[in-house]
Amino acid sequence: MHSDKIKNFLHKKREANQSGGQDKILSQHEKGKLTARERIDLLLDEGSFTEIDALATHHYHEFDMQDKKFFGDGVITGYGNINGRQVFLFAYDFTVLGGTLSEMGAKKITKAMDHAVRVGCPVIGIIDSGGARIQEGILSLDGFSDIFYHNQLASGVIPQITASIGPSAGGAVYSPAMTDFVIMVDKLATMFVTGPEVVKTVLGEEVSFDELGGAMSHAKNSGVAHFVAKNEYQCMDYVKTLLSYIPQNNTEGPPIVLTNDDPNRLDSNLINIIPENSLQPYDMKEIIYSIVDNHVFFEIHELFAQNIVVGFGRLNGRTVGIVANQPMSLAGALDIDSSNKAARFVRFCDCFNIPVITLVDTPGYMPGTNQEHSGIIRHGSKLLYAYCEATVPKITIIIGKAYGGAYIAMGSKNLGTDMNYAWPTAQIAVLGSEAAVKIMNRKEIASAKDPEALKKQLVDNFTEKFANPYVAASYGTIDSVIDPAETRPVLIRALEALANKREKRIPRKHGNINL
Ligand code: HXC
């Protein structure tokens, strides 16, 4: 009888919709968490979700697992739209065996990822999982390997975004880490390779879940989290905002948005943001806000390595990636974390056809044994590599100090930057005047009758000769010295001029970035 078959089908469908059952849904809500299905509803345009593999179950019999079968098997997968744009997604379902990853769960996730890569649309992962399902042992571990493999295959082809909303333990953290952006929800998300119990056993350290692997720890200290959301609603807003700036895949440009901000808008106050005394700090973000359309700047990694600022803005409706030194933090010096942060951002922009604008005011790479011994050479050079590798339009503006290696690293001309501008306030030199004179004139100063007076005179001479943009402009290293008020129109005109940039490199398997 057909009607029996339909009844049976509807019964299974209802059961699948209930995931791990009412008790588990209640317990999920009591933990202050939404269910996977509620999260999907929150993220996608209404009515746009189509589920795949809703009736998948595990086929495992050890540890009485045959009695613990639930449709979906701990992860919900499918596709839908976000503001009209297609995405594939997978959402771990904590109500089913703690959202643990089984062989079937991994097959579902990688199937969704395969679809996303083939059709060329972003893939979103919503994480709330106890990690590898212990009962399935090697099958579960192999499942994770397969997900990592797919993360790598998708990398640079489609954007991959992680919304981390619950636990993410053990090797399970590495899949999110291989995606382009991680948003963690404060107080709900935790990510760690080994949990507090293991830390206590091995090291005798007492540490809470949140302190060890909570959203704030990863946003401030490790840099694993690009964004911290106050709650799940804000988390989904972050996903939507991110998508609004980036293309569907590596063959497309980012969406163009009508912003109605005058491309010729001048700002005569820009020059007043930077103090006369170049040793005084100022907030580089004020300059960024002034330049971008409608003063909207979407900052990424806001709490991590604050001595460099990265994020998206729009110029005449087109997405740009902005990298800028932040004199408010460590005087804008480059260190290990800021080099990693900026290098990864530049590489993302390059993967997805987003021009890079660099604003420079940095006294150099951070000195000291801590930085040297922790590998500032290894990490600092990643930034150089990333700029050299990027073939998207690259535009640099030197605003203040641009000294030594940091001048080079921050999108200097010979890293393949297309347009290099400087404000009249720019100072481009191997070293700051004081440091330069100390090295060049050490003996002379030491033997002078009045060493302080001589030093001051030499420093003033050096400053007058080199602490300006005109020597660089005379060599064409700076294409143009611009009136700060005109920064926005200058950038927009340059972006238009570079819109059809093509740059072909010698084909190779891949470069060997100094990791
Ligand atoms: C099997 C698991 C599980 C796991 C949780 N559960 N983790 N089942 N394998 N890894 C089950 C619980 O037994 C429970 O089942 C249900 O999921 C919900 O878990 P609770 O502990 O009740 O929830 P909660 O108190 O919220 O704690 C969640 C948790 C905790 C923080 C995730 O369960 C936990 O610490 N789990 C272990 C995490 C872990 O070490 N995973 C392995 C990491 S190694 P019932 O039936 O009671 O509801 C790994 C290797 C990957 O992932 C390697 C890749 C390279």
Side-chain angles (χ1 to χ4, degrees):
M1 289 278 279
H2 285 327
S3 61
D4 285 348
K5 290 190 174 168
I6 295 293
K7 236 192 239 167
N8 184 28
F9 157 68
L10 290 176
H11 174 72
K12 282 181 190 296
K13 209 174 153 188
R14 257 197 313 276
E15 213 178 301
N17 264 328
Q18 288 179 5
S19 297
Q22 282 310 315
D23 287 356
K24 298 286 181 197
I25 291 174
L26 193 65
S27 148
Q28 177 80 347
H29 287 156
E30 278 169 2
K31 286 176 183 163
K33 298 193 288 184
L34 298 174
T35 64
R37 285 184 197 284
E38 288 164 345
R39 286 166 181 162
I40 292 169
D41 284 347
L42 201 57
L43 180 64
L44 297 183
D45 297 348
E46 203 179 333
S48 72
F49 182 54
T50 302
E51 190 170 352
I52 307 172
D53 289 332
L55 300 181
T57 57
H58 70 74
H59 303 277
Y60 204 70
H61 295 282
E62 304 286 336
F63 304 105
D64 299 328
M65 284 299 281
Q66 68 274 18
D67 302 329
K68 293 186 182 169
K69 281 198 181 192
F70 298 90
F71 286 126
D73 205 21
V75 62
I76 297 171
T77 58
Y79 57 93
N81 294 341
I82 295 179
N83 292 325
R85 287 167 62 190
Q86 189 182 311
V87 298
F88 274 82
L89 60 76
F90 55 91
Y92 284 91
D93 185 348
F94 197 83
T95 66
V96 174
L97 302 168
T100 49
L101 187 85
S102 64
E103 179 192 22
M104 267 325 292
K107 275 194 180 155
K108 288 179 64 171
I109 290 171
T110 53
K111 189 196 271 187
M113 292 171 85
D114 278 336
H115 281 305
V117 169
R118 280 193 214 111
V119 303
C121 73
V123 65
I124 321 287
I126 302 175
I127 315 290
D128 186 3
S129 164
R133 187 172 298 164
I134 296 165
Q135 295 89 334
E136 289 205 21
I138 182 68
L139 297 178
S140 163
L141 294 181
D142 281 349
F144 267 124
S145 324
D146 206 14
I147 294 173
F148 302 154
Y149 183 65
H150 280 75
N151 284 132
Q152 198 285 331
L153 291 180
S155 181
V157 179
I158 51 168
Q160 302 181 77
I161 300 174
T162 300
S164 179
I165 309 189
S168 175
V173 294
Y174 288 120
S175 172
M178 287 170 79
T179 65
D180 298 301
F181 299 105
V182 177
I183 305 143
M184 288 182 77
V185 177
D186 199 19
K187 306 286 183 253
L188 289 184
T190 47
M191 296 174 72
F192 41 74
V193 174
T194 49
E197 275 304 320
V198 180
V199 172
K200 193 174 171 193
T201 312
V202 178
L203 300 167
E205 270 177 36
E206 295 257 7
V207 63
S208 69
F209 275 91
D210 203 47
E211 213 182 320
L212 182 67
M216 278 302 174
S217 292
H218 282 308
K220 283 184 186 163
N221 306 326
S222 71
V224 167
H226 297 82
F227 304 95
V228 176
K230 285 198 290 262
N231 51 43
E232 302 201 34
Y233 299 88
Q234 196 185 38
C235 177
M236 299 314 176
D237 283 344
Y238 271 123
V239 176
K240 291 176 197 180
T241 308
L242 248 178
L243 285 177
S244 76
Y245 284 99
I246 62 184
Q248 289 292 88
N249 60 60
N250 65 331
T251 65
E252 295 181 8
I256 297 175
V257 174
L258 267 183
T259 59
N260 292 322
D261 193 353
D262 180 4
N264 294 313
R265 177 167 57 77
L266 304 177
D267 184 354
S268 55
N269 189 47
L270 266 178
I271 186 73
N272 299 324
I273 294 173
I274 59 169
E276 296 269 346
N277 176 355
S278 68
L279 297 177
Q280 271 177 13
Y282 64 92
D283 187 358
M284 179 64 91
K285 285 190 225 172
E286 283 187 45
I287 294 179
I288 298 173
Y289 287 130
S290 156
I291 296 169
V292 292
D293 288 358
N294 300 326
H295 313 286
V296 177
F297 175 56
F298 184 55
E299 189 171 358
I300 295 163
H301 258 154
E302 186 179 353
L303 301 176
F304 178 63
Q306 292 181 322
N307 42 333
I308 207 153
V309 175
V310 304
F312 297 122
R314 291 192 179 89
L315 281 171
N316 206 19
R318 291 171 191 272
T319 300
V320 289
I322 296 174
V323 180
N325 305 117
Q326 174 56 288
M328 295 250 285
S329 173
L330 302 176
L334 289 177
D335 62 356
I336 290 172
D337 284 347
S338 57
S339 300
N340 279 317
K341 168 175 162 178
R344 182 143 174 86
F345 181 70
V346 168
R347 296 192 96 212
F348 176 85
C349 291
D350 191 44
C351 287
F352 293 105
N353 311 314
I354 298 172
V356 176
I357 310 264
T358 306
L359 305 177
V360 187
D361 193 342
T362 174
Y365 274 101
M366 184 80 96
T369 44
N370 178 293
Q371 287 287 307
E372 293 290 353
H373 293 178
S374 303
I376 183 71
I377 298 175
R378 211 156 39 82
H379 297 286
S381 54
K382 288 179 198 166
L383 189 53
L384 295 162
Y385 192 105
Y387 271 108
C388 295
E389 180 186 45
T391 55
V392 286
K394 293 181 283 190
I395 305 169
T396 295
I397 303 190
I398 300 179
I399 285 171
K401 295 181 278 296
Y403 295 158
Y407 150 75
I408 298 173
M410 291 299 293
S412 64
K413 193 70 170 173
N414 285 357
L415 300 187
T417 303
D418 301 290
M419 301 285 184
N420 294 69
Y421 301 106
W423 285 11
T425 45
Q427 305 175 25
I428 305 168
V430 175
L431 284 174
S433 308
E434 185 96 21
V437 163
K438 265 190 199 156
I439 293 172
M440 289 190 305
N441 309 98
R442 186 166 50 89
K443 286 184 192 149
E444 208 179 329
I445 294 170
S447 58
K449 266 197 203 142
D450 184 347
E452 272 314 305
L454 179 63
K455 195 176 109 193
K456 185 177 176 315
Q457 187 196 341
L458 290 167
V459 166
D460 288 348
N461 282 351
F462 188 92
T463 304
E464 201 186 317
K465 256 194 200 148
F466 295 109
N468 62 61
Y470 302 108
V471 180
S474 77
Y475 286 104
T477 304
I478 291 296
D479 297 292
S480 203
V481 179
I482 61 167
D483 179 345
E486 293 176 351
T487 304
R488 173 177 160 83
V490 163
L491 282 172
I492 290 173
R493 280 199 293 273
L495 282 169
E496 277 165 10
L498 296 168
N500 295 323
K501 179 186 175 189
R502 280 170 298 176
E503 189 179 327
K504 286 259 181 293
R505 305 269 172 103
I506 294 172
R508 57 181 158 183
K509 195 170 171 191
H510 58 73
N512 186 14
I513 186 167
N514 30 294
L515 293 172

